[in-house]
Amino acid sequence: MGTQPNHLNERGEVHMVEVGEKPATRRLGRAVGYLSARPDICQAVKNGQIPKGDVLAVSRVAGIMAAKKTSDIIPLCHPLPLTHIDVQIEIESEAFRVEAVVETTAPTGVEMEALTAVSASLLTLYDMLKGMDRTLEIGHIVLLEKAGGRSGHFLREGASHVDHSDSHQ
Amino acid sequence: MGTQPNHLNERGEVHMVEVGEKPATRRLGRAVGYLSARPDICQAVKNGQIPKGDVLAVSRVAGIMAAKKTSDIIPLCHPLPLTHIDVQIEIESEAFRVEAVVETTAPTGVEMEALTAVSASLLTLYDMLKGMDRTLEIGHIVLLEKAGGRSGHFLREGASHVDHSDSHQ
Amino acid sequence: MGTQPNHLNERGEVHMVEVGEKPATRRLGRAVGYLSARPDICQAVKNGQIPKGDVLAVSRVAGIMAAKKTSDIIPLCHPLPLTHIDVQIEIESEAFRVEAVVETTAPTGVEMEALTAVSASLLTLYDMLKGMDRTLEIGHIVLLEKAGGRSGHFLREGASHVDHSDSHQ
Amino acid sequence: MGTQPNHLNERGEVHMVEVGEKPATRRLGRAVGYLSARPDICQAVKNGQIPKGDVLAVSRVAGIMAAKKTSDIIPLCHPLPLTHIDVQIEIESEAFRVEAVVETTAPTGVEMEALTAVSASLLTLYDMLKGMDRTLEIGHIVLLEKAGGRSGHFLREGASHVDHSDSHQ
Amino acid sequence: MGTQPNHLNERGEVHMVEVGEKPATRRLGRAVGYLSARPDICQAVKNGQIPKGDVLAVSRVAGIMAAKKTSDIIPLCHPLPLTHIDVQIEIESEAFRVEAVVETTAPTGVEMEALTAVSASLLTLYDMLKGMDRTLEIGHIVLLEKAGGRSGHFLREGASHVDHSDSHQ
Amino acid sequence: MGTQPNHLNERGEVHMVEVGEKPATRRLGRAVGYLSARPDICQAVKNGQIPKGDVLAVSRVAGIMAAKKTSDIIPLCHPLPLTHIDVQIEIESEAFRVEAVVETTAPTGVEMEALTAVSASLLTLYDMLKGMDRTLEIGHIVLLEKAGGRSGHFLREGASHVDHSDSHQ
């Protein structure tokens, strides 16, 4: 861990950090976040009283497309050739849980891409449910896992390890 | 409050809701969210050990630019001619607090634009601080206020009313 | 009907035509197009052997989002505040039929937005089905209806009139 | 050929397919499509009564730029570092014929990029000619050729082989 | 003329200035700029030894499309519904002269849109000529005229007045 | 130096040049440009009478983000995985001087990316200062340095060589 943002150059000004000397390696980022909602809304979506097919599909697509726009949304992120994006939504009793996995072969990681996918997916769910529930809150967005690169494998305490090599098609 | 997402048409499929019959009126959306971080990081940014000028400015700009991209990030949002975007960041003892105000003159509201500005601003802060702090968490993103339109004025319980007519230049 | 493209100015060069003197009125564009595919593929999607929920939802979302990008894809199109976008997909015996309705209140029409929505929706279906069927062909993309503006109401010969005032939610 | 869209993961939900394990190889996609128009319009453009220079150039540029936006228009397409885009327009007696070649060095192909270039180029021609001809129809958009990758070389029946190694500058 | 950038709010931080209280009026911006090049290059393009049709058309289209992207390129610019964009290129003895006119009906002006169109058009010319001439220089980009809005009509000293009401089609 | 734009193919039409046969090597582009302004404005920003923190940060961010959009702004530029972007602004007595460095590992160079960063950064400064100074002029935008690729190292006469290997973090 550093003691200064590496997005600041020697003049204390932001730049997009040089990564050209680092080798392109396979990297994975996995993040999660929640949209807390009224239990009756969660239940109604879960059991299909509110038609959930399109709602969940649109939210997933929004996450996938936002991951590809990460370097356009977050000013100092590098444009990267993403090789895999998967967004999974689970309906819990009082929240929608969104988890995103992003992979690339590149000289820098895809932590921000996974977090951006989760954020956009949650905002899209919020947009579709906001006419029914004014208690909506987006939160608990954290990085679950990071693999590849010099800093080694990171697995957030309490996060389960997913064998991504099985989940590919 | 409805009992079905109005983003679903009569076939239960998503569409971008028709708003052409509604008059264009002035509308405001105000949202807030937090990036919780280690107290020493918050303190170091606050007192300038970590040069904060560019860090906060870049985060604000990211929020402003993302608000303008809302209809490109959230699939069913209408493209709107935004007339005002302001993003304010405050450093608390254990978190960065981001509040965004968005205004328009349009037939539909800017709730999602304010939430998108907050999300992008928080993600950008996360990006710049992630090399120093692995406990970062984005959360408590909620709508504080909504004005204009048929549904009347909404002020979240506990949210202070800001006189936006004074804050314009 | 003119005898010269109105996208050419008096020097014979392309420009984005001036529409500032025309009043903003409500306008509608409706277009259709087809992806012809092997009958067994059409059948398998229709009866659910190929899970169609996400496939159709993603295609609809792609059409909706592309309509909003029309002025970025087609160089001489005006940026317009779209008020409604709806994309409907029907599975026929040897083709997928995509119909899009776009509406706005603006000084110029949304014919190209409807055609762009149809094209993007068809390309997205193609993308998802191309691994199963090499006979795919996109075609018969035409304007069905155009309403609003000086040139009056246009209904393509043989096109059924849809009462869009009923289809809004 | 598969029996399921590979854009569906094991849960039957869309994802952006993992391609990180595949090597980056040189790949080519070539597609074609048509805008059928009234014979007198085709003739007038061909012989220069309608100034064709800018009309054809703008349509070509639209195709080139759209190819670069493919992963933003088609939700599940991978962002790829395109190395070559060429769009060629021929005026036939009753149609404009648009052919696009796209190349990359990447772990997945550029079929959709070539089809997207063709679609955008045709839509742009439509946009410029629509004020003169209400019979316009876009159609017969197919893949002509695909090279590189595990699935081997594909040449559509009846399509002539173009030696692209000669056509580069 | 103010004594502080109006892009700074009362906290000295950037925001997108509120314009919601201002009426939407017709506004025009006109800007010019130059790409200086070797005289023999200018001459070769002018007399057609270098095929100029596509070169000039592509540069014009780049300017038109960039004007529409202004609020995405310049962080504090408002998204505006542009009603007219025209880019004109003249080949002088030692330079390419690019002039752009942009119009809108909006509560704020299109000065930056005209300057952005000129800049993008010049960069595109530079891109196409850079393989032949290493002396290229972009410069003398200024606002020629601004009309509409509270600040009244501005005509740069020495700039000729163009009757834009005649140049529309 | 060639005698024809290499953006023209054998038919004299624009294309995006094939670079797939060239190896991906490290490349650097460095460009500079100026916004000339009234001396009192330059002085007021320099000594802090006009709060310069956000003004300069926003201009730098605009340059960084525009560099990443180069292939979307300039029609025939290749999309490239940029590995480093740095924008530096210096306030002189009668001008703001903007210098940008861009790096990549790719089969083609980043000259246009550096020039685009400079242009966007200057336009953004113009936007923030235009309410105070009507003499603003953007100019003297040139390439200072180009490294990597077959054409060898280029250093503009009079340009100082910067050791970029020291300026990275």
Side-chain angles (χ1 to χ4, degrees):
Chain A
M1 293 274 97
T3 59
Q4 292 280 323
N6 59 1
H7 291 291
L8 297 183
N9 62 16
E10 73 277 14
R11 300 185 305 277
E13 298 166 0
V14 289
H15 64 162
M16 196 179 83
V17 181
E18 163 67 336
V19 297
E21 292 167 13
K22 299 162 72 179
T25 58
R26 292 194 63 190
R27 290 155 186 276
L28 173 148
R30 187 159 60 94
V32 73
Y34 296 83
L35 175 69
S36 43
R38 285 207 326 258
D40 59 307
I41 299 288
C42 294
Q43 194 57 35
V45 175
K46 192 163 192 172
N47 64 25
Q49 291 166 265
I50 293 171
K52 72 181 162 195
D54 271 23
V55 170
L56 301 189
V58 171
S59 172
R60 276 193 299 269
V61 170
I64 290 169
M65 296 185 85
K68 293 191 275 185
K69 285 190 236 278
T70 301
S71 69
D72 195 39
I73 296 172
I74 304 182
L76 306 176
C77 276
H78 296 80
L80 299 177
L82 306 183
T83 57
H84 182 216
I85 310 170
D86 190 88
V87 176
Q88 185 168 355
I89 304 175
E90 282 172 22
I91 308 175
E92 305 186 341
S93 61
E94 304 191 8
F96 294 79
R97 179 189 189 277
V98 175
E99 181 174 327
V101 173
V102 178
E103 295 181 76
T104 192
T105 302
T108 188
V110 284
E111 187 170 342
M112 296 315 302
E113 281 74 6
L115 290 159
T116 300
V118 166
S119 296
S121 184
L122 290 169
L123 285 165
T124 300
L125 280 175
Y126 187 114
D127 182 37
M128 288 186 283
L129 299 176
K130 70 179 191 290
M132 293 186 291
D133 182 354
R134 276 197 165 159
T135 73
L136 297 173
E137 177 171 332
I138 290 173
H140 300 300
I141 302 176
V142 296
L143 184 71
L144 290 178
E145 186 180 2
K146 192 181 161 188
R150 285 184 298 198
S151 58
H153 190 261
F154 164 79
L155 190 65
R156 190 180 178 86
E157 206 175 326
S160 64
H161 183 71
V162 177
D163 184 353
H164 296 286
S165 57
D166 279 5
S167 70
H168 303 154
Q169 290 222 333
Chain B
M1 293 272 98
T3 59
Q4 292 280 322
N6 58 1
H7 291 291
L8 297 182
N9 62 16
E10 73 278 14
R11 301 185 304 277
E13 298 167 358
V14 290
H15 64 161
M16 195 180 83
V17 182
E18 163 67 335
V19 297
E21 292 167 13
K22 297 162 72 179
T25 56
R26 293 193 64 190
R27 289 153 186 277
L28 174 147
R30 188 160 60 95
V32 72
Y34 296 83
L35 174 70
S36 43
R38 285 207 327 258
D40 60 308
I41 299 287
C42 295
Q43 193 57 36
V45 175
K46 191 162 193 174
N47 64 23
Q49 291 166 265
I50 292 170
K52 73 180 161 194
D54 271 25
V55 169
L56 301 189
V58 171
S59 171
R60 276 193 298 269
V61 171
I64 290 169
M65 295 185 85
K68 294 191 273 186
K69 283 190 236 279
T70 301
S71 69
D72 194 41
I73 296 172
I74 304 182
L76 306 176
C77 275
H78 296 79
L80 299 178
L82 307 183
T83 57
H84 182 214
I85 310 169
D86 191 88
V87 176
Q88 184 169 355
I89 304 174
E90 282 170 23
I91 309 174
E92 304 186 344
S93 60
E94 303 191 8
F96 293 79
R97 179 190 189 277
V98 174
E99 181 174 328
V101 173
V102 177
E103 295 181 75
T104 191
T105 300
T108 188
V110 284
E111 187 170 343
M112 295 315 302
E113 281 75 5
L115 289 160
T116 300
V118 165
S119 297
S121 184
L122 290 168
L123 286 165
T124 301
L125 280 175
Y126 185 114
D127 182 37
M128 289 186 283
L129 299 176
K130 71 179 190 291
M132 294 186 291
D133 182 354
R134 277 200 164 156
T135 74
L136 297 173
E137 177 171 333
I138 290 174
H140 300 300
I141 302 177
V142 295
L143 185 71
L144 290 178
E145 186 180 0
K146 192 181 162 189
R150 285 184 298 199
S151 58
H153 190 261
F154 164 77
L155 189 66
R156 190 180 178 85
E157 205 174 328
S160 64
H161 182 71
V162 176
D163 184 354
H164 295 285
S165 59
D166 278 5
S167 71
H168 303 153
Q169 291 223 332
Chain C
M1 292 273 98
T3 59
Q4 292 281 321
N6 59 359
H7 291 292
L8 296 182
N9 62 16
E10 73 277 15
R11 300 185 304 278
E13 298 165 0
V14 291
H15 64 159
M16 195 179 83
V17 182
E18 164 67 334
V19 297
E21 290 167 14
K22 297 163 72 179
T25 57
R26 293 194 64 190
R27 289 155 185 277
L28 174 147
R30 189 159 59 96
V32 72
Y34 297 83
L35 174 69
S36 44
R38 286 207 326 259
D40 59 309
I41 299 286
C42 295
Q43 194 57 37
V45 175
K46 191 163 192 172
N47 63 25
Q49 292 166 265
I50 292 171
K52 73 180 160 193
D54 270 25
V55 169
L56 301 189
V58 171
S59 172
R60 277 194 297 269
V61 171
I64 290 169
M65 295 185 85
K68 294 191 273 186
K69 287 190 235 278
T70 301
S71 69
D72 194 42
I73 296 172
I74 304 180
L76 306 176
C77 275
H78 295 80
L80 299 178
L82 306 183
T83 57
H84 183 214
I85 310 169
D86 191 88
V87 176
Q88 185 168 355
I89 305 174
E90 282 171 22
I91 308 174
E92 305 186 341
S93 62
E94 304 191 6
F96 293 79
R97 180 190 189 276
V98 175
E99 181 175 327
V101 173
V102 178
E103 295 181 76
T104 192
T105 302
T108 188
V110 285
E111 186 169 343
M112 296 316 301
E113 281 75 5
L115 289 159
T116 300
V118 166
S119 296
S121 184
L122 290 167
L123 286 165
T124 300
L125 280 174
Y126 187 113
D127 182 38
M128 289 186 283
L129 300 175
K130 71 180 190 292
M132 294 185 292
D133 182 354
R134 276 201 164 153
T135 72
L136 298 173
E137 177 171 332
I138 290 173
H140 299 300
I141 302 176
V142 296
L143 185 72
L144 289 179
E145 187 180 0
K146 191 181 162 190
R150 284 184 299 202
S151 58
H153 189 261
F154 164 78
L155 189 66
R156 190 179 178 88
E157 203 174 330
S160 63
H161 181 71
V162 177
D163 184 353
H164 296 284
S165 58
D166 279 4
S167 70
H168 302 155
Q169 291 221 330
Chain D
M1 293 273 97
T3 60
Q4 292 280 321
N6 58 1
H7 291 291
L8 298 182
N9 62 16
E10 73 277 15
R11 300 185 305 277
E13 298 165 0
V14 289
H15 64 160
M16 195 179 84
V17 181
E18 164 67 336
V19 297
E21 291 167 13
K22 299 163 71 180
T25 57
R26 292 194 65 189
R27 289 154 185 278
L28 174 147
R30 188 159 59 95
V32 73
Y34 296 82
L35 174 69
S36 43
R38 286 207 325 258
D40 60 309
I41 299 287
C42 295
Q43 194 57 35
V45 176
K46 192 164 192 172
N47 64 23
Q49 293 166 264
I50 292 171
K52 73 180 162 194
D54 271 23
V55 169
L56 300 189
V58 170
S59 172
R60 278 194 297 269
V61 170
I64 291 169
M65 296 185 85
K68 295 191 274 184
K69 285 190 236 278
T70 301
S71 69
D72 195 41
I73 296 172
I74 304 180
L76 306 175
C77 275
H78 296 79
L80 299 177
L82 307 183
T83 57
H84 182 214
I85 310 169
D86 191 89
V87 176
Q88 184 168 356
I89 304 174
E90 282 171 21
I91 308 175
E92 305 186 342
S93 61
E94 305 191 7
F96 294 79
R97 180 190 189 277
V98 175
E99 181 175 327
V101 173
V102 178
E103 294 181 76
T104 190
T105 302
T108 188
V110 284
E111 188 169 341
M112 296 315 303
E113 281 74 6
L115 289 160
T116 300
V118 166
S119 296
S121 184
L122 290 168
L123 286 166
T124 300
L125 280 174
Y126 187 113
D127 182 37
M128 289 186 285
L129 299 176
K130 72 180 190 290
M132 294 186 292
D133 183 354
R134 277 202 163 153
T135 73
L136 297 173
E137 177 172 332
I138 290 174
H140 299 301
I141 302 176
V142 295
L143 185 72
L144 290 178
E145 185 179 3
K146 191 181 162 189
R150 284 183 301 200
S151 58
H153 190 261
F154 164 78
L155 189 66
R156 189 180 177 88
E157 204 175 329
S160 63
H161 182 70
V162 177
D163 185 353
H164 296 284
S165 59
D166 279 6
S167 69
H168 302 156
Q169 289 223 334
Chain E
M1 292 272 98
T3 60
Q4 292 280 323
N6 59 0
H7 291 292
L8 297 183
N9 61 17
E10 73 278 15
R11 300 186 305 277
E13 299 165 0
V14 290
H15 64 161
M16 196 179 83
V17 182
E18 163 68 335
V19 298
E21 292 167 13
K22 297 162 72 179
T25 57
R26 292 194 64 190
R27 290 153 185 279
L28 173 148
R30 188 158 61 94
V32 73
Y34 296 83
L35 175 70
S36 43
R38 286 208 326 258
D40 60 308
I41 299 287
C42 294
Q43 194 57 36
V45 176
K46 192 163 192 172
N47 64 24
Q49 292 166 266
I50 292 172
K52 73 180 162 193
D54 271 23
V55 169
L56 302 189
V58 171
S59 171
R60 277 195 298 270
V61 170
I64 290 170
M65 295 186 85
K68 295 191 274 185
K69 285 190 234 280
T70 301
S71 70
D72 195 40
I73 296 172
I74 304 181
L76 306 176
C77 275
H78 295 80
L80 298 178
L82 306 183
T83 57
H84 182 215
I85 310 170
D86 190 89
V87 175
Q88 185 167 356
I89 304 174
E90 283 171 21
I91 308 174
E92 304 186 343
S93 61
E94 304 191 8
F96 293 79
R97 179 191 189 276
V98 175
E99 181 175 327
V101 173
V102 178
E103 294 181 76
T104 192
T105 302
T108 188
V110 285
E111 187 169 342
M112 297 314 303
E113 281 74 5
L115 289 160
T116 300
V118 166
S119 297
S121 184
L122 290 168
L123 286 165
T124 300
L125 280 175
Y126 186 113
D127 182 37
M128 288 187 283
L129 299 176
K130 71 180 192 290
M132 293 186 292
D133 183 353
R134 278 202 163 153
T135 73
L136 297 173
E137 177 171 332
I138 290 173
H140 299 300
I141 302 176
V142 295
L143 184 72
L144 290 178
E145 186 180 2
K146 191 181 162 189
R150 285 184 298 201
S151 59
H153 189 262
F154 164 77
L155 190 65
R156 189 180 178 87
E157 206 174 328
S160 63
H161 182 71
V162 176
D163 184 355
H164 295 285
S165 58
D166 279 6
S167 69
H168 303 156
Q169 290 223 332
Chain F
M1 292 274 98
T3 59
Q4 292 281 321
N6 58 0
H7 291 291
L8 297 182
N9 62 16
E10 72 277 16
R11 301 185 304 276
E13 298 165 0
V14 290
H15 65 160
M16 195 179 83
V17 181
E18 163 67 335
V19 298
E21 291 168 12
K22 298 162 71 179
T25 56
R26 292 194 64 191
R27 290 154 185 275
L28 174 147
R30 189 160 59 96
V32 73
Y34 296 82
L35 174 70
S36 44
R38 286 208 324 260
D40 59 309
I41 298 287
C42 295
Q43 194 57 35
V45 175
K46 192 164 193 172
N47 63 24
Q49 291 166 265
I50 292 171
K52 73 180 161 195
D54 270 24
V55 169
L56 301 189
V58 171
S59 171
R60 277 194 297 271
V61 171
I64 290 169
M65 296 185 85
K68 293 191 275 186
K69 286 190 235 280
T70 301
S71 69
D72 194 41
I73 297 172
I74 304 181
L76 306 175
C77 274
H78 295 79
L80 299 177
L82 306 184
T83 57
H84 183 215
I85 311 169
D86 191 88
V87 176
Q88 185 168 355
I89 305 173
E90 282 171 22
I91 308 174
E92 305 186 341
S93 61
E94 304 191 7
F96 293 79
R97 179 190 190 278
V98 175
E99 181 174 327
V101 173
V102 178
E103 294 181 76
T104 192
T105 302
T108 188
V110 284
E111 186 170 342
M112 296 315 302
E113 281 74 5
L115 290 159
T116 300
V118 165
S119 296
S121 184
L122 290 167
L123 286 165
T124 300
L125 280 174
Y126 186 114
D127 182 37
M128 288 187 283
L129 299 176
K130 70 179 191 290
M132 294 185 292
D133 183 353
R134 276 199 164 155
T135 73
L136 298 173
E137 177 171 332
I138 290 174
H140 299 301
I141 302 176
V142 295
L143 185 71
L144 290 179
E145 186 179 1
K146 191 181 162 189
R150 284 184 300 201
S151 58
H153 190 261
F154 164 77
L155 189 65
R156 190 179 177 87
E157 204 174 329
S160 64
H161 181 70
V162 176
D163 183 353
H164 296 285
S165 59
D166 280 4
S167 71
H168 301 155
Q169 290 221 333

